Amino acid sequence: MGVQFGLLGPVAAWDTEGAPLPLSAPRHREVLGRLLIARGRVVPVGRLVADLWEDEAPAGAVGAVRTFVSALRRALEPGRPPRQPSRLVVTDGPGYALRADREAVDAWRFEDIAAHADQAPPRAAVPLWDQALACWRGPLLADFPAAAWAAAERARLEALRLDAVERRADALLATGAARDAVADLRAHVAEHPGREDGWVLLTTALDRAGRHDEALRALDQARDALNGGSGALARTQARILSPADSPAEPAGTADSVWDRAAASWNRSVPARSRARLHATAGLLRDLAVTGPDGLEEAHRHRRDLVSAAERTGDPELAARIIGSYDVPAVWTRADDPEGAGELSRAAARAGARLGPEGPPALRARLLSVVAVESRGDAAADAPLPRASAAPATETWRLRAERAADEAVRTARRLGDPALLAFALNGAFMQAFAACGSAARREVLGAELTRLADDHQLPGPEVLGRIIRLQALAGLGDFTAADTETEEIDQLADRNERPLAVVFTAWYRALRLCETDGWPAARPRYTRVLAETADCGMPGLTRGAAVLVELIPVMRGDGLPDPADFADLDPGPYRPWLVPLLLAASGDTERARQALSTVPRPPHDLLQEALWCVLARAAASVGHLPVLRRARDELAPAAAEYAGAGSGLVSFGPVTRHLATADAAIEAHSSAAGRSADDG
């Protein structure tokens, strides 16, 4: 058909030669504008009447609309034979629709070109932004500025136009054409003084064009216009005022190469592109292993990155971003349980959208994310079962365990070492379905260590050795655990993995307690608590002082002195500590009530230790349901040291706690029997 339509300015139409079509009557142009705003959707006649006469329609309004439409059809298709249906303005059900291709309407064409510019590197983007902005002949529907039916579309397209002006200027700056950007930016901020991005771009362009004083004056004007502005203006000023003659890095240093490569990448890769999402995911993955600050930053930004990926509407892209974070995870209590649960659910959603026919490696990555992030009780979607009740099936745990199993099977089938390392990490996190899993974890750690060593995967090798260290300590094989400790420290130093030494520092305190006793180990624990307090792993450190204070209590046979715990933050261990402290204070009734409602300990590295704590409290007040449950849960761990599998603390052999529980069960059962006989 070849007819072109204009919304960006006065409503207009042009024939195949580019000549204006006769739309002389305002109502004809208004009907055309209203149909174009509908973007191909049907506009009922009643809606057209209400929009054209916003106050009160005359009696013959419906007939008038039909007359306007007929005249519009004649103007747009002057060569159409009589009684042949229009191919442009069509009758459809209760109303009319305008059928036009996207390239035939200037507003739609602007959007499409802007989308291409958005994905292009800066040098290619500048002419595309020019082309997009050239679509504008004036304000949207310039001849109908008060039309309420156009208000939303007018605001949306105007926002896109302002963004396009700034994106074009940003692309010019990235290509070194600062001078070319200045004039348009001056006009832009003069017309829209509330646009902080525009002011930032203008001051930056002036500074890069060598007009330093003008840049500072523009900053003053921006602060006045924006009532001070936000941090973006402050950062711009700091950059402009930074000394230009500071000594440059030698060209061959790593920092210099990083800075130059990062600047080139930023210029070459379009903003908001998928490449930036992928690169950000890789950056966060590397950032997480640099130390405490990097780990905290990676955790903080990861949820935002996942949200950004999901908002693209591309299920495979979102799945790749979510599944890319294969940072080795050691501690089985999540630093941020709520965030971990969200990430686990995001991975499950991505897997569901991919479906069973999705790429197997990608599905395995998502399953590994589910397994890793569902550590402990992070993925719980219901209240935890009580410790006083019989063991219950927990569906969220079953989902995570099955995810880990499927991920490992798929990775083995595909023969992908990095994928298998990630899947084995998930299997480790889900290896705590019951107490006494140290032997299984030692096997997992050994496989992961061999795999990583064979394929030069330093991160997974450190992880595998830490898993072995913990498992060997839990099994009481401290000599072998010592060897792993030395290997971990060497690997951490060689591969810049500072967080690994947090675990070896704690293990050395545990080891000293086993060899020289609590009095000798106490100063070491005090030092370790202080040195690792800010290691970026709150799931490990919060409440750790309480675990340390419990060591002499649980390695002995008595109850704690509540005063020793008065100033300590129990953190996540509060539910299991409270009954013991109540029993120790002589408040038997409240201790029994607390034991009746306390949840079962998390399925993590400290579950044996916490069952021992509950057993001690239950034995002291005669709470047989919890005492029997604790005894049954601990029985599979009879060959282990309670808590030592964490690599943090050891409450001594589990067999001693089992014997104490058996004796208490017998004593309380006999007492209950005698009481019944007396009755």
Side-chain angles (χ1 to χ4, degrees), residues 279-653:
T280 303
L283 184 62
L284 292 184
R285 185 175 57 214
D286 292 341
L287 184 64
V289 299
T290 60
D293 292 342
L295 180 60
E296 289 180 354
E297 290 291 320
H299 282 169
R300 187 162 62 86
H301 296 304
R302 185 184 173 200
R303 290 163 74 177
D304 292 339
L305 178 65
V306 169
S307 296
E310 288 191 302
R311 284 197 299 271
T312 65
D314 184 334
E316 186 163 330
L317 173 65
R320 293 191 183 283
I321 295 299
I322 294 168
S324 67
Y325 193 85
D326 53 3
V327 176
V330 180
W331 193 240
T332 49
R333 176 180 289 279
D335 294 329
D336 173 13
E338 181 182 347
E342 287 180 12
L343 289 167
S344 175
R345 290 187 287 275
R349 285 195 302 271
R353 289 176 185 136
L354 280 182
E357 302 305 317
L362 187 51
R363 283 185 52 79
R365 284 192 162 273
L366 292 171
L367 291 167
S368 298
V369 172
V370 171
V372 170
E373 298 301 338
S374 299
R375 67 188 83 178
D377 294 318
D381 52 14
L384 300 184
R386 294 181 177 181
S388 57
T393 300
E394 301 172 54
T395 54
W396 68 86
R397 286 203 49 74
L398 291 178
R399 286 197 298 267
E401 291 169 12
R402 289 167 182 161
D405 291 343
E406 185 180 343
V408 171
R409 286 197 304 272
T410 302
R412 291 195 199 284
R413 187 177 75 250
L414 295 175
D416 183 333
L419 178 60
L420 180 55
F422 191 16
L424 289 173
N425 198 168
F428 161 68
M429 287 296 180
Q430 297 304 319
F432 299 87
C435 293
S437 63
R440 179 188 172 196
R441 301 198 310 271
E442 197 280 329
V443 171
L444 277 171
E447 179 182 2
L448 187 52
T449 301
R450 288 193 302 272
L451 176 76
D453 186 46
D454 289 345
H455 296 280
Q456 296 298 293
L457 304 171
E461 183 175 359
V462 172
L463 171 64
R465 292 191 181 279
I466 293 177
I467 292 173
R468 285 205 76 215
L469 164 65
Q470 295 168 335
L472 291 166
L475 294 168
D477 190 348
F478 297 107
T479 302
D482 292 344
T483 301
E484 290 295 341
T485 302
E486 297 301 323
E487 291 284 349
I488 292 165
D489 283 347
Q490 292 177 27
L491 278 168
D493 180 62
R494 188 162 63 246
N495 295 287
E496 298 181 330
R497 295 290 196 272
L499 294 175
V501 299
V502 171
F503 296 94
T504 56
W506 274 93
Y507 169 74
R508 287 191 170 94
L510 181 159
R511 182 70 163 108
L512 184 62
C513 189
E514 288 295 333
T515 55
D516 295 1
W518 168 247
R522 180 156 205 155
R524 176 71 65 87
Y525 269 116
T526 301
R527 187 164 68 250
V528 170
L529 279 168
E531 290 173 350
T532 63
D534 298 320
C535 68
M537 292 183 282
L540 183 150
T541 56
R542 187 161 181 254
V546 161
L547 296 175
V548 171
E549 199 64 38
L550 281 171
I551 293 173
V553 176
M554 299 305 297
R555 291 175 75 90
D557 298 315
L559 294 174
D561 181 350
D564 293 339
F565 294 82
D567 297 326
L568 299 180
D569 174 17
Y573 308 111
R574 178 183 295 276
W576 302 282
L577 178 67
V578 166
L580 185 66
L581 295 182
L582 288 171
S585 66
D587 196 341
T588 301
E589 186 54 36
R590 289 182 62 206
R592 290 178 61 83
Q593 290 174 1
L595 286 165
S596 296
T597 58
V598 69
R600 56 114 181 104
H603 293 281
D604 62 20
L605 283 161
L606 284 161
Q607 63 179 333
E608 291 91 356
L610 294 179
W611 277 117
C612 288
V613 170
L614 288 181
R616 181 70 59 88
S620 67
V621 298
H623 196 295
L624 283 171
V626 168
L627 185 55
R628 290 191 175 112
R629 172 79 186 276
R631 198 264 173 232
D632 291 344
E633 293 286 344
L634 286 168
E640 298 183 13
Y641 280 62
S646 67
L648 270 62
V649 297
S650 171
F651 294 167

Side-chain angles (χ1 to χ4, degrees), residues 1-89:
M1 292 177 285
V3 177
Q4 301 289 305
F5 299 96
L7 282 173
L8 304 180
V11 178
W14 300 271
D15 64 17
T16 54
E17 303 299 324
L21 291 171
L23 301 174
S24 54
R27 285 301 195 191
H28 301 170
R29 295 197 306 276
E30 190 170 5
V31 169
L32 177 58
R34 181 63 185 87
L35 294 177
L36 285 168
I37 288 291
R39 291 176 170 263
R41 296 186 297 273
V42 174
V43 182
V45 172
R47 181 74 265 168
L48 278 171
V49 168
D51 288 341
L52 267 61
W53 290 277
E54 293 181 6
D55 296 328
E56 184 175 353
V62 171
V65 165
R66 289 177 176 146
T67 300
F68 299 155
V69 169
S70 295
L72 183 60
R73 284 169 169 165
R74 288 194 299 272
L76 296 178
E77 300 174 273
R80 179 170 54 90
R83 291 184 294 279
Q84 181 177 318
S86 172
R87 299 173 60 193
L88 282 175
V89 182

Side-chain angles (χ1 to χ4, degrees), residues 213-265:
D213 291 341
E214 288 183 68
L216 294 177
R217 287 197 295 273
L219 277 171
D220 290 337
Q221 293 172 330
R223 278 191 291 271
D224 291 341
L226 299 166
N227 294 320
S230 71
L233 276 182
R235 288 191 295 273
T236 303
Q237 181 172 7
R239 186 173 65 249
I240 290 173
L241 292 176
S242 62
D245 56 350
S246 57
E249 283 282 337
T253 65
D255 286 349
S256 171
V257 174
W258 168 273
D259 290 342
R260 286 184 284 112
S264 297
W265 190 92

